[in-house]
Amino acid sequence: MSDPMRPPVSAQHPQGTPRSGLSRPPRAGLRTAVVWEVLQDALDRRVKATGRPALDVLDTGGGSGNFAVPLARLGHRVTVVDPSPNALFALERRAAEADVADRVQGVQGDAHGLFDVAERGAYDIVLCHGVLEYVDDPAEGVRNAVAALRPEGVLSLLAAGLGGAVLARALAGHFTEAKRALEDPDGRWGQGDPVPRRFTVDQLTGLVEGAGLRVGAVHGVRVFADLVPGVLVDTEPGALEALLKLEEAAAELPAFHSVATQLHVLGETAEAAGA
């Protein structure tokens, strides 16, 4: 899952956090900045459309709360569904430390049996981050996520990108593995590959549209961050911020989607898209 980003405290927001800023710690921000920008914009639009400052968010596979806790600090109510008891324990501890335990609920479950632990049609926004790589049926996982949305709802989908893995293996000199990932139906480079499945943009947008949503936006995540040697970023003055700006600039360009480590798709119901 993505790294945590703690929002600053401000009197501008009734719950203590302004829209503009979930502050970004070094390096971690490179992995999550693009997703946060898109997600915050979606949250703002739903708040404006509903007139409710506190939205109901479902975070499937939310783990220890890397997204859930910052969202709760923004004032939203977040339900995290995750199969790992250890992750949920860490979520509880993190929420308590952030003083948002009253707005974060963790329940044990998975995407396949989502409605054993979550309500249908009860959420303004559903996060499905780092889940589709591991489920047996990605289409079912997306359909369940969509079924959890209210009529005017938004799906945030984040999954591993095929092209980024191929490029990384090739640049590391593992050309046979790069070719294998390119040709494998699941995008795997071998038996030692820790990721069970990767996706192209067409595959992810097809899943979203097949579940009845409109694709609102597609972004490439970690286009350059995983390829640039850390020593260059850590030792060159201003390099981290410059790389972050480059990531944000490239994220929306289709030409770079095919080499991103992760792909982010924002899906909207027809009612939300027209709001």
Side-chain angles (χ1 to χ4, degrees):
M1 295 301 184
S2 305
D3 294 298
M5 300 174 65
R6 182 178 296 273
V9 174
S10 169
Q12 298 177 32
H13 191 282
Q15 299 297 339
T17 306
R19 177 262 179 269
S20 62
L22 289 174
S23 62
R24 297 182 286 213
R27 304 291 281 171
L30 292 173
R31 301 189 181 99
T32 58
V34 170
V35 179
W36 274 117
E37 287 297 320
V38 177
L39 190 56
Q40 285 190 1
D41 182 66
L43 288 163
D44 282 354
R45 287 187 284 111
R46 296 315 310 141
V47 166
K48 183 177 180 180
T50 63
R52 292 184 284 109
L55 300 177
D56 293 304
V57 181
L58 176 65
D59 188 355
T60 64
S64 60
N66 295 324
F67 276 83
V69 170
L71 287 172
R73 284 177 61 99
L74 287 171
H76 304 298
R77 296 177 292 270
V78 188
T79 299
V80 175
V81 177
D82 197 277
S84 169
N86 290 336
L88 293 174
F89 178 77
L91 167 69
E92 182 179 356
R93 183 176 65 249
R94 176 180 286 178
E97 291 172 351
D99 197 25
V100 294
D102 59 329
R103 295 194 293 274
V104 176
Q105 177 187 17
V107 291
Q108 190 171 0
D110 55 32
H112 175 70
L114 184 61
F115 299 113
D116 293 336
V117 295
E119 294 184 57
R120 290 181 181 270
Y123 304 93
D124 300 289
I125 293 184
V126 173
L127 277 57
C128 187
H129 295 174
V131 173
L132 297 189
E133 297 93 326
Y134 300 94
V135 298
D136 293 333
D137 186 346
E140 180 191 30
V142 175
R143 288 195 300 269
N144 283 349
V146 171
L149 288 171
R150 288 183 169 137
E152 295 183 358
V154 174
L155 171 67
S156 175
L157 181 64
L158 182 68
L162 170 62
V166 173
L167 183 61
R169 300 315 290 175
L171 291 179
H174 304 300
F175 307 120
T176 299
E177 292 179 350
K179 183 173 182 292
R180 186 178 302 166
L182 188 62
E183 298 172 344
D184 184 79
D186 293 324
R188 290 172 55 81
W189 48 256
Q191 292 185 348
D193 192 336
V195 179
R197 187 184 295 107
R198 295 184 178 88
F199 299 88
T200 64
V201 169
D202 287 345
Q203 288 171 333
L204 286 181
T205 56
L207 289 172
V208 170
E209 292 173 339
L213 296 187
R214 170 190 173 273
V215 174
V218 178
H219 291 83
V221 180
R222 292 155 60 188
V223 176
F224 306 103
D226 291 350
L227 302 177
V228 177
V231 64
L232 296 181
V233 179
D234 297 335
T235 60
E236 186 71 22
L240 179 62
E241 187 64 26
L243 179 56
L244 180 57
K245 291 180 179 178
L246 177 61
E247 286 280 349
E248 292 173 338
E252 295 187 39
L253 301 178
F256 292 97
H257 294 168
S258 60
V259 295
T261 299
Q262 292 179 306
L263 298 168
H264 184 246
V265 178
L266 196 73
E268 302 172 317
T269 63
E271 292 87 347

